[in-house]
Amino acid sequence: MRYTDPDLKYCPQCDEEYREEIISCASCDVDLIPGTEKLLMEKEAEMKLAARSMDISADDELANIRKGTLLDMKQLQGLLAKENIPSLVAGEKGNCGKGCCGGDMYLQIRIADGDDAIAVLAREFQRTTALDSHDLSNVHAVFDTGAAKSTCPACGFSFSTSSSTCPDCGLCF
């Protein structure tokens, strides 16, 4: 975590730092927040994290948030634990729940921790798929054969729809 300067502004989405007179984020096109507000948000997040119990009781309502091998679920469980989010790994009905009988395992969390857990797993997905280092601004582009030109959702290259392959990156449509 980097130092937050109360005299600067920050993007609430990408966390980029800006000079005081800048109003909106160049990348995200959203209004910036003052450093003092970001510091308050960080302090509230720290207090919430410190107050969260790592114990899951029989009364807690649980939700399955991932399904996979025991090894994968244990890795995700460790990731959540670093963020002070308690979780359980449980087997499907009919298997022993220890991962040795084959079958998939479920990563379970308290429903109350759902938003925080999903955010942690989303950041991990972006990190491990390298999506955090790619320009995703064209991801919603659609190849329309009726249009004269189209934009490639992978690389952003604009090309004639007479070709069904992006001449820049080779993506096939």
Side-chain angles (χ1 to χ4, degrees), residues 94-151:
N95 81 13
C96 67
K98 297 178 184 172
C100 59
C101 302
D104 284 323
M105 305 297 284
Y106 290 99
L107 181 63
Q108 299 178 327
I109 58 155
R110 290 187 299 228
I111 289 178
D113 296 328
D115 290 341
D116 293 335
I118 296 299
V120 168
L121 296 181
R123 282 193 308 271
E124 178 67 3
F125 177 77
Q126 282 187 320
R127 187 190 67 76
T128 59
T129 57
L131 288 175
D132 59 345
S133 61
H134 283 76
D135 176 12
L136 301 178
S137 58
N138 296 302
V139 76
H140 296 296
V142 175
F143 183 78
D144 181 4
T145 55
K149 287 194 166 250
S150 188
T151 300

Side-chain angles (χ1 to χ4, degrees), residues 73-83 87 107:
M73 297 305 99
K74 287 289 190 182
Q75 287 175 337
L76 293 177
Q77 186 179 36
L79 184 68
L80 291 174
K82 287 180 186 174
E83 298 287 332
S87 62
L107 181 63

Side-chain angles (χ1 to χ4, degrees), residues 21-87:
E21 66 272 9
I22 307 295
I23 296 170
S24 66
C25 178
S27 301
C28 304
D29 197 30
V30 298
D31 289 342
L32 301 175
I33 60 171
T36 52
E37 186 177 329
K38 185 172 187 295
L39 285 168
L40 283 172
M41 290 169 47
E42 289 172 353
K43 187 168 181 104
E44 286 174 9
E46 279 180 33
M47 289 171 41
K48 182 180 176 183
L49 188 70
R52 182 181 285 138
S53 168
M54 287 300 286
D55 295 326
I56 294 179
S57 73
D59 296 332
D60 287 328
E61 210 174 337
L62 301 178
N64 295 331
I65 59 168
R66 284 287 170 93
K67 179 180 178 182
T69 66
L70 176 62
L71 178 61
D72 290 341
M73 297 305 99
K74 287 289 190 182
Q75 287 175 337
L76 293 177
Q77 186 179 36
L79 184 68
L80 291 174
K82 287 180 186 174
E83 298 287 332
N84 225 26
I85 300 171
S87 62

